[in-house]
Amino acid sequence: MLAGLCLFLFTISSCSNKPEEQADAAFLNLIPKPVEVKRTAGYFNPGEKLLLVITPADSVLQSNSALLSQLFPSSTLVPATERTQGNKAIVLQLVSDSSLGKEGYALHISDSLLNLQATTAAGIFYGLQTIRQLLPADNKASNKVLLANGSIRDYPRFAIRGSMLDVARHFFSVGDVKRYIDLLAYYKLNTLHLHLSDDQGWRIEIKKWPRLTEYGGSTQVGGGAGGFYTQERFKELVQYAAERYISIIPEIDMPGHTHAAAAAYPELNCNPKDTIKGLYTGTEVGFSTLCTTNEQVYGFINDVVSEIAAISPSPYFHMGGDESLVTPEEEYIAFVNRVQGIIHANGKQVIGWDEIAHASLQPGTVAQHWSDTANPVKAVAQGAKLIMSPATRVYMDMQYDSTTRLGLHWAAYIEADEAYNWDPAKLVKGIREEQILGIVAPLWTETIVTMKDIEYMVFPRLTGYAEISWSPQQGRSWDEYKNRLVQHAAFYTAWGIDYYRSPRVPWQ
Ligand code: TNX
């Protein structure tokens, strides 16, 4: 049966261990699907002596090329300043080609040359991710592998492509977050939004307000130990992400979702007695608010924003703004208006969950659409751009179906095909493609405790979000995509990911 299936899927699968068949299949199974792919006859054999030419020979490209030494047998790579006659070569090259944009790349593979061109080091990095996918996922027998000859021209549809991780409901270690970053990078995602504070915990050190983490970070949902990132460890994460062309967007949620902060500093609440009772380890939302009429609160916010802005190279600071159900509407609006000013004064552009569209959005403010479709319409009417995170499509804490052992289902059950089958530019009436900066798929962690839990909820859905945010809409279809997805099980397995075996995917 398996042999028959392999024959049937001959052009797209890699059932065979033959290097040629593996190479042919890999060429057709890339995710995200490249903009243009052209197969030509023959193969490139990386198992022979290869000159490695990097032009210009700058240090960023040099460090980029370190990935090559993990992908190719290092004994075969011979650094050289130029290509010489009669030698096979890998050439990484910065070029000026505006049609590739800032993140695009062009890859040409022939018998004797693997040429990767881009306009920036980021483009070279994405081209290297493509090369990574052209090789076997376990990356073992690399002197017995081949690459299919051909040309690929590729660039992303959206500028922001990523995921949000809630490290507040349950805390995740620096090691876990680094692994998450590695998984994002493989699929050419460039954004990690970290939800750093919520009712259950405050997760980033603020030197002027030490009890935020000392006390406010000391537990989590269910009453476990919690945790937090010191500013040094946060910088380490930022650096690790930057080396993979991923930008970390820090979020401090306010004025709601602030019980942990007010438990640490009761004066942040209008009714300090409410918060003196201690920390919260449940999963209700919408019960807390900063005291928006108290001047001291704005001094606190300025301290928080300025300390985080100083260690965060992202142009954005995310102020949350969701589910402030106990903040009077007028006060909420005045608060959002004022906090935008504080964030600007600290040199950052504002992102907020889509409710902030009720306030006056200042130039450059971005609304992150998650729930009420009236909000993104209100936001763009004020000239704001959008990040799309619709709960019914991209909330990875939503269960796949009613039997999923983790997750919630207040917005929807989201099967692998439902996660993939939608167009961000068609989802909300009145919203056009040009108004959308990109897609961020959140993983809220009320029910998610371990890295294994994260991976199970994320894969395979995140692989689809990567394609939606990178590849052209035209020609995208679940029926075609699902066969490519099957081949990515080898990557999941090689990385030890316990992915969800969706019955809608024809896994082999
Ligand atoms: C809504 S999405 C929330 C979060 C919860 C999530 C659970 C959003 C902006 N707020 O506080 O964790 O639902 O799915």
Side-chain angles (χ1 to χ4, degrees):
M1 176 57 198
L2 189 62
L5 195 66
C6 289
L7 212 57
F8 171 65
L9 295 171
F10 180 67
T11 50
I12 49 167
S13 87
S14 59
C15 298
S16 157
N17 290 325
K18 280 210 185 122
E20 289 83 1
E21 286 169 18
Q22 188 118 56
D24 290 346
F27 197 80
L28 296 172
N29 288 322
L30 294 164
I31 298 179
K33 189 178 194 166
V35 175
E36 280 174 47
V37 178
K38 211 170 102 218
R39 175 77 165 95
T40 52
Y43 299 90
F44 177 87
N45 182 347
E48 301 164 19
K49 180 185 154 196
L50 298 169
L51 299 184
L52 174 59
V53 182
I54 297 176
T55 60
D58 73 37
S59 57
V60 179
L61 285 192
Q62 298 283 359
S63 67
N64 240 333
S65 75
L67 187 57
L68 281 176
S69 54
Q70 288 166 35
L71 298 176
F72 293 84
S74 53
S75 55
T76 64
L77 292 175
V78 184
T81 50
E82 58 183 5
R83 227 188 131 197
T84 46
Q85 275 277 306
N87 281 308
K88 297 177 81 176
I90 297 182
V91 179
L92 305 185
Q93 201 173 11
L94 289 186
V95 295
S96 60
D97 176 350
S98 59
S99 71
L100 291 175
K102 286 201 193 107
E103 296 185 299
Y105 65 92
L107 180 62
H108 302 281
I109 307 175
S110 61
D111 287 3
S112 61
L113 176 65
L114 189 156
N115 186 199
L116 174 57
Q117 301 178 323
T119 67
T120 65
I124 295 287
F125 182 78
Y126 296 126
L128 289 170
Q129 299 313 308
T130 291
I131 293 171
R132 217 173 148 191
Q133 287 196 13
L134 293 175
L135 294 163
D138 62 9
N139 204 19
K140 271 182 199 132
S142 31
N143 50 355
K144 291 200 193 77
V145 307
L146 294 172
L147 284 132
N149 288 347
S151 300
I152 295 175
R153 275 185 76 76
D154 200 14
Y155 45 84
R157 177 179 177 191
F158 292 113
I160 293 183
R161 308 177 301 279
S163 177
M164 187 216 80
L165 188 62
D166 171 7
V167 295
R169 269 53 176 274
H170 281 100
F171 180 67
F172 292 91
S173 69
V174 168
D176 286 345
V177 178
K178 284 184 178 172
R179 178 168 162 94
Y180 200 58
I181 288 168
D182 284 335
L183 298 172
L184 299 182
Y186 185 81
Y187 287 112
K188 302 186 176 72
L189 296 166
N190 66 3
T191 301
L192 174 62
H193 163 185
L194 284 180
H195 184 74
L196 290 165
S197 68
D198 214 302
D199 292 316
Q200 299 84 348
W202 185 286
R203 308 298 180 202
I204 184 161
E205 175 193 23
I206 303 296
K207 294 189 191 288
K208 280 201 186 142
W209 299 77
R211 264 178 68 81
L212 287 172
T213 46
E214 279 168 15
Y215 181 64
S218 65
T219 190
Q220 59 184 2
V221 168
F228 65 90
Y229 310 120
T230 61
Q231 294 195 0
E232 284 310 308
R233 301 283 347 244
F234 183 79
K235 283 197 262 182
E236 182 186 329
L237 278 178
V238 164
Q239 176 63 26
Y240 189 86
E243 285 162 8
R244 287 150 186 81
Y245 297 87
I246 289 173
S247 165
I248 293 186
I249 298 177
E251 176 189 353
I252 296 296
D253 204 347
M254 56 184 132
H257 292 277
T258 46
H259 180 87
Y265 292 100
E267 64 268 34
L268 297 174
N269 196 287
C270 291
N271 309 302
K273 274 198 242 94
D274 286 356
T275 45
I276 278 165
K277 287 182 208 137
L279 296 166
Y280 179 69
T281 59
T283 60
E284 292 299 311
V285 295
F287 61 88
S288 59
T289 184
L290 294 174
C291 190
T292 64
T293 51
N294 174 356
E295 251 339 271
Q296 234 194 318
V297 162
Y298 297 93
F300 163 76
I301 292 171
N302 186 59
D303 291 341
V304 168
V305 174
S306 73
E307 287 196 28
I308 294 175
I311 55 172
S312 167
S314 168
Y316 297 109
F317 186 95
H318 199 308
M319 63 170 290
D322 59 312
E323 296 174 321
S324 283
L325 307 181
V326 295
T327 321
E329 173 84 356
E330 244 172 78
E331 284 186 25
Y332 174 84
I333 290 170
F335 177 86
V336 172
N337 290 344
R338 188 158 170 192
V339 171
Q340 287 180 87
I342 294 174
I343 293 172
H344 286 161
N346 282 287
K348 301 293 180 185
Q349 244 176 291
V350 179
I351 306 179
W353 294 107
D354 61 22
E355 290 99 316
I356 64 163
H358 291 265
S360 307
L361 301 184
Q362 294 175 15
T365 293
V366 174
Q368 185 165 0
H369 170 50
W370 68 281
S371 179
D372 181 348
T373 52
N375 289 335
V377 175
K378 272 200 187 100
V380 299
Q382 300 190 57
K385 299 261 188 205
L386 301 173
I387 291 173
M388 298 298 271
S389 304
T392 52
R393 294 292 186 172
V394 304
Y395 267 31
M396 297 184 292
D397 62 321
M398 291 300 120
Q399 294 171 295
Y400 293 100
D401 67 21
S402 62
T403 68
T404 309
R405 70 183 164 84
L406 301 165
L408 309 173
H409 60 261
W410 64 264
Y413 293 113
I414 309 178
E415 251 293 355
D417 57 340
E418 290 150 351
Y420 180 81
N421 251 335
W422 63 286
D423 178 356
K426 295 264 165 64
L427 192 77
V428 180
K429 210 165 156 242
I431 301 300
R432 298 189 313 274
E433 173 118 9
E434 317 79 75
Q435 295 160 331
I436 299 172
L437 290 175
I439 299 168
V440 168
L443 183 64
W444 301 100
T445 59
E446 285 93 336
T447 65
I448 310 300
V449 184
T450 65
M451 188 69 205
K452 283 259 166 268
D453 294 347
I454 291 182
E455 293 167 10
Y456 183 77
M457 296 307 276
V458 161
F459 290 108
R461 290 184 287 204
L462 187 68
T463 302
Y465 303 140
E467 175 144 310
I468 297 174
S469 51
W470 180 286
S471 307
Q473 178 65 29
Q474 213 193 359
R476 267 206 312 113
S477 88
W478 167 254
D479 281 333
E480 185 272 336
Y481 166 79
K482 71 181 178 194
N483 292 311
R484 276 184 290 125
L485 178 57
V486 165
Q487 301 308 315
H488 285 245
F491 167 72
Y492 302 157
T493 304
W495 276 70
I497 294 170
D498 173 25
Y499 60 99
Y500 167 60
R501 271 82 169 167
S502 165
R504 304 192 187 176
V505 178
W507 309 110
Q508 280 159 9

